[in-house]
């Protein structure tokens, strides 16, 4: 099992916009099952999203962060914040 806690503040979103932000699973581990969890905080371009989630996919190597409306994140400089945690099985 692995628990990852994260707090990423005043980060920038740019390039090709997507409906997910991704965090690499530490130590090059792989998730064994799909798991979803609510995010504690998600601000996209300084706008709060109260229903945002984080997840890992079975055989995945990233923690995926998504807005509640499944829309793309907004391009912004120093206005994206994410905080949360997720626990999942690894192999």
């Amino acid at each position: 099992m692995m628990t990852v806690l994260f707090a990423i503040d005043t980060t920038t979103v740019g390039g090709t916009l997507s409906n997910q932000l991704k965090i690499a699973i530490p130590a090059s581990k792989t998730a064994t099952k799909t798991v979803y969890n609510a995010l504690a905080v998600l601000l996209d371009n300084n706008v709060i999203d109260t229903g945002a989630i984080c997840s890992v996919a079975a055989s995945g190597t990233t923690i995926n962060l998504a807005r509640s409306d499944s829309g793309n994140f907004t391009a912004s400089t120093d206005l994206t914040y994410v905080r949360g945690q997720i626990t999942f099985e690894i192999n």
Side-chain angles (χ1 to χ4, degrees):
M1 294 292 279
M2 178 181 279
T3 299
V4 178
L5 288 80
F6 49 89
I8 304 170
D9 293 342
T10 61
T11 192
T12 296
V13 174
T16 302
L17 300 177
S18 173
N19 63 352
Q20 292 185 346
L21 300 178
K22 297 178 180 275
I23 301 170
I25 294 175
S28 300
K29 298 293 184 182
T30 301
T32 58
K33 297 179 181 177
T34 299
V35 174
Y36 295 90
N37 197 28
L39 283 172
V41 172
L42 174 83
L43 277 86
D44 178 21
N45 197 28
N46 222 28
V47 176
I48 194 157
D49 185 334
T50 57
I53 63 165
C54 60
S55 65
V56 294
S59 301
T61 58
T62 59
I63 300 165
N64 308 304
L65 313 175
R67 295 176 7 170
S68 61
D69 65 0
S70 299
N72 285 349
F73 282 84
T74 305
S76 64
T77 301
D78 296 337
L79 293 175
T80 302
Y81 300 75
V82 291
R83 295 181 185 168
Q85 73 178 40
I86 189 167
T87 300
F88 50 93
E89 292 182 22
I90 56 172
N91 58 5

